[in-house]
Amino acid sequence: MMRVGVLGSGKGSNFAALLNARRAGRLPVDFALVASDVPASGILQLARQAGLPTWEIQEPRYRTRLSPEVEKALAAALAEAGCELIVLAGYMRVVKAPLLDAFPRRIINIHPSLLPKFRGREAWRQALEAGEKETGCTVHWVDEGVDTGEILAQARVPILPGDTPQSLHARIQEAEHHLLPEVIASLARSKPWQPPAAG
Ligand code: GRF
């Protein structure tokens, strides 16, 4: 089974969808480590309830990134746990060199818009305020930019008359909860970073 590390800062609804997909036999992975920079986050609670290994990231200095030494320690913990793929599931910090170099083209993110449109925070609100008729979500490889990496898959979501930022975000999240497990399952089956087996 592919070993997956999951990073998140929030309520963890995407991680809950991953746990459900795994229980339903649709996601052939082991969650090797679940890490969060927010001690009271839902994602950590879910991981603990599921009896999974967890890691609390302690970052007293910055809000939008990790200090290099903290990110190095996180990368070491993920490597030590044998992670082959890292999933950012609502992780609210920018990933920098210590993690990117430890897991080159092995980190994916779920973003609530049809990238390249609406990078950054509250992408659903950006789409609504721009008067779009549809938006969606994107799973992409993570690079040194913010929501700039190569796109793996997208799902479209309509914007309906009367939508509020909350109603639209909820509809996008439903789509996320299907898309993210599908993409991870497909990576787990193909492991595109490995050379094809001989013979
Ligand atoms: C999702 O909307 C995701 O697209 C964004 O952060 C949110 C995380 O939500 N990157 P949750 O913690 O998985 O519920």
Side-chain angles (χ1 to χ4, degrees):
M1 290 256 225
M2 184 170 75
R3 292 180 70 75
V4 174
V6 185
L7 308 190
S9 311
K11 66 180 190 285
S13 68
N14 276 288
F15 182 57
L18 298 183
L19 286 172
N20 288 338
R22 188 182 187 282
R23 286 184 191 123
R26 286 185 282 112
L27 188 56
V29 305
D30 282 328
F31 298 112
L33 191 63
V34 179
S36 179
D37 55 327
V38 179
S41 58
I43 190 170
L44 275 186
Q45 288 175 27
L46 285 167
R48 289 190 186 116
Q49 281 161 16
L52 296 169
T54 57
W55 174 274
E56 279 186 33
I57 304 165
Q58 309 285 345
E59 176 52 74
R61 280 166 69 196
Y62 301 110
R63 282 197 311 123
T64 58
R65 64 183 175 101
L66 298 178
S67 326
E69 59 277 16
V70 173
E71 191 158 336
K72 249 183 225 161
L74 173 63
L78 291 162
E80 175 82 3
C83 295
E84 297 166 82
L85 179 75
I86 310 301
V87 176
L88 308 186
Y91 179 64
M92 299 308 285
R93 294 180 192 247
V94 181
V95 173
K96 297 282 188 186
L99 203 51
L100 288 169
D101 292 351
F103 294 94
R105 209 179 160 80
R106 299 281 194 98
I107 308 177
I108 62 171
N109 179 45
I110 177 107
H111 180 78
S113 78
L114 293 174
L115 289 173
K117 281 189 167 179
F118 311 122
R119 297 184 169 123
R121 298 233 166 193
E122 299 203 321
W124 58 90
R125 190 186 295 275
Q126 297 182 46
L128 197 59
E129 286 174 359
E132 299 281 318
K133 295 274 178 289
E134 71 168 6
T135 182
C137 53
T138 301
V139 179
H140 64 93
W141 292 111
V142 173
D143 62 14
E144 59 288 339
V146 175
D147 306 323
T148 51
E150 189 188 325
I151 291 170
L152 277 158
Q154 295 185 308
R156 296 176 179 280
V157 170
I159 298 182
L160 303 177
D163 257 337
T164 61
Q166 291 72 23
S167 66
L168 180 56
H169 188 207
R171 193 174 311 117
I172 294 171
Q173 285 224 290
E174 272 179 45
E176 291 180 348
H177 299 163
H178 293 287
L179 188 68
L180 188 58
E182 274 170 20
V183 172
I184 297 172
S186 133
L187 290 173
R189 284 187 208 106
S190 62
K191 292 203 180 174
W193 47 81
Q194 286 190 338

